[in-house]
Amino acid sequence: MDKADPADVDDFGGAVLSPAWRHLFLATKSFCNAWNEAMADIPNVRLVGIDYDRQGKSHGYIGIQHSTTRSCYYWLPLPITSIRSGSGPTVLVMSGIHGDEYEGQIALSRLAAELQPTDVAGRILILPMANFPAAKAGTRTSPIDGGDLNRLFPGEANGSVTQQIAAYVEHGLMSISDFVIDLHAGGSSIMHVAAAIVVAEADALRFQQQMDLAEAFGAPYTIVYASRSQPHFGRIALTASARQGAIAIGAELGGAGSATSSSISLAEQALVRVLRRTGILAGTSDAPPPTRTQILSSDRPDTMTWAMEAGLFEPSVTVGSEVSPGDLAGRIHFVDSPGRPSAEYRFDADGVVTVARFMTQVERGDCLYRIAFKPDAHQKGHR
């Protein structure tokens, strides 16, 4: 037998393969390596009662492994609903990334109960309690590992519980979605104006698609953030969605650790409008047309007013207020220091207040306010 040409010898046990078999083997090996690399990003979850490819409607759970003293083989049950009918886009709608933000959770719970396959042209995935431990506890972060899910994308398949959730949401759900709608509110510590949120993509066509969805959402405001305006933006759900090729917008719908009939109604009606804009809802809708949304921009990291001392905060303005440099933002009172005068805080730029602290007690480093800019006024101020 002739000695093998080195080009015909690969790492398959040193065997000699014909060129055709060698080509097939290397192609298969390349595919398997690519598959294993892709799957390495997805944690080993248990899907209970749910099949994303099944026609019709199914409710179930994404099981995230979490061994405890109480239950050594426990899995955390993230509730999810899949509704699929015919052909069309895949839309992921989610809430509960922060567990103390309730409008989205209520709206998506109702959507999962009421939406039927006959209403859908495509596939809709409904994830109402994305950070399940936080949502159960009513806290912004997970009581298990302290994780803020909206600061942990793309996650880690073998990481903490919250890192595993982030990894599955990005690589298991966003990766199969054409559109992502991420519903938030201010949570326990702040109030937020009702607004659609756009983290602007560099591609002009994709950015226009984002703005079309925001227009359909129909909130009083649409806040457009430059993609690099905040240091944590690479780790949030909206940029994770963009990494996976989905067109994504978010929403802020209230705050103060509560939900009102008006904020829930806005969430439900806006959700119907934006789903219809994606093309996934068939038939007609009784949702009222969107109101005209006011566009605001936030392309700088220095748009917040911070508490520099601990005390009791007396606010002077509310969300939606228009402010100018020198306007009084509020005062911090030092009740534990008799005779000490309060400290005044003032705004240093023109803008619209989009975030206002709700909790009265403050510590150094707490955010008191955040502003965004009307595009025309902002441009005039930066000529």
Side-chain angles (χ1 to χ4, degrees):
M1 182 175 178
D2 295 334
K3 185 176 181 181
D5 186 318
D8 292 333
V9 179
D10 50 44
D11 60 358
F12 189 57
V16 179
L17 301 178
S18 69
W21 278 105
R22 184 172 186 277
H23 176 77
L24 178 61
F25 170 73
L26 292 178
T28 303
K29 179 182 178 182
S30 176
F31 172 80
C32 291
N33 286 341
W35 174 260
N36 289 335
E37 183 177 343
M39 294 304 292
D41 293 327
I42 303 179
N44 183 21
V45 303
R46 177 187 297 271
L47 295 181
V48 181
I50 195 78
D51 181 350
Y52 307 140
D53 295 325
R54 182 191 307 161
Q55 293 287 322
K57 181 177 184 178
S58 58
H59 305 287
Y61 301 93
I62 302 164
I64 303 292
Q65 297 183 38
H66 177 51
S67 179
T68 68
T69 299
R70 184 193 64 80
S71 182
C72 57
Y73 300 122
Y74 179 60
W75 47 269
L76 290 162
L78 278 63
I80 187 168
T81 295
S82 174
I83 306 173
R84 185 166 191 168
S85 179
S87 61
T90 293
V91 182
L92 170 64
V93 288
M94 61 186 201
S95 61
I97 275 186
H98 297 131
D100 59 347
E101 301 171 2
Y102 300 114
E103 287 86 350
Q105 296 184 55
I106 293 170
L108 292 191
S109 176
R110 184 170 296 169
L111 184 72
E114 297 180 356
L115 196 65
Q116 299 302 319
T118 53
D119 302 320
V120 171
R123 175 174 59 182
I124 182 167
L125 304 172
I126 304 171
L127 186 69
M129 303 172 77
N131 192 349
F132 177 79
K136 286 290 287 184
T139 55
R140 178 179 177 86
T141 58
S142 173
I144 294 174
D145 56 19
D148 180 338
L149 181 55
N150 216 31
R151 301 294 185 273
L152 289 175
F153 291 98
E156 293 185 25
N158 296 309
S160 69
V161 165
T162 312
Q163 288 173 326
Q164 290 182 59
I165 294 173
Y168 186 79
V169 170
E170 176 164 347
H171 299 289
L173 298 177
M174 293 173 175
S175 64
I176 62 173
S177 300
D178 300 295
F179 300 95
V180 174
I181 313 300
D182 180 24
L183 302 179
H184 288 260
S188 301
S189 66
I190 63 172
M191 283 295 298
H192 201 295
V193 292
I197 304 297
V198 172
V199 178
E201 294 207 36
D203 182 87
L205 178 58
R206 289 176 60 85
F207 175 59
Q208 185 57 56
Q209 290 177 291
Q210 290 178 293
M211 295 303 291
D212 287 346
L213 293 182
E215 179 185 47
F217 196 86
Y221 296 93
T222 293
I223 305 174
V224 180
Y225 289 92
S227 61
R228 299 182 183 275
S229 64
Q230 303 296 324
H232 64 273
F233 270 9
R235 301 188 295 275
I236 67 174
L238 295 183
T239 49
S241 301
R243 272 196 299 270
Q244 298 303 321
I247 302 298
I249 66 166
E252 296 284 354
L253 297 163
S258 64
T260 66
S261 60
S262 59
S263 63
I264 294 169
S265 178
L266 171 61
E268 293 176 340
Q269 294 174 3
L271 192 57
V272 170
R273 290 191 294 261
V274 76
L275 288 175
R276 185 165 300 284
R277 184 63 64 92
T278 68
I280 199 170
L281 289 189
T284 59
S285 167
D286 57 0
T291 58
R292 183 175 178 84
T293 185
Q294 181 175 352
I295 308 296
L296 301 175
S297 68
S298 185
D299 58 1
R300 293 164 27 197
D302 59 340
T303 58
M304 298 187 188
T305 301
W306 307 95
M308 297 307 296
E309 297 169 283
L312 300 183
F313 179 58
E314 175 193 354
S316 295
V317 298
T318 58
V319 293
S321 300
E322 295 189 19
V323 297
S324 299
D327 286 354
L328 182 66
R331 298 178 176 86
I332 293 180
H333 299 276
F334 311 103
V335 184
D336 59 348
S337 298
R340 181 181 175 183
S342 60
E344 290 190 346
Y345 286 72
R346 296 184 180 274
F347 294 102
D348 60 4
D350 292 306
V352 176
V353 176
T354 57
V355 167
R357 183 165 177 85
F358 176 74
M359 291 182 172
T360 300
Q361 287 189 325
V362 295
E363 300 286 340
R364 182 180 292 116
D366 284 338
C367 173
L368 304 178
Y369 293 106
R370 186 177 200 167
I371 64 172
F373 310 103
K374 293 182 177 180
D376 290 344
H378 185 42
Q379 290 166 5
K380 289 176 184 178
H382 285 75
R383 285 177 178 171

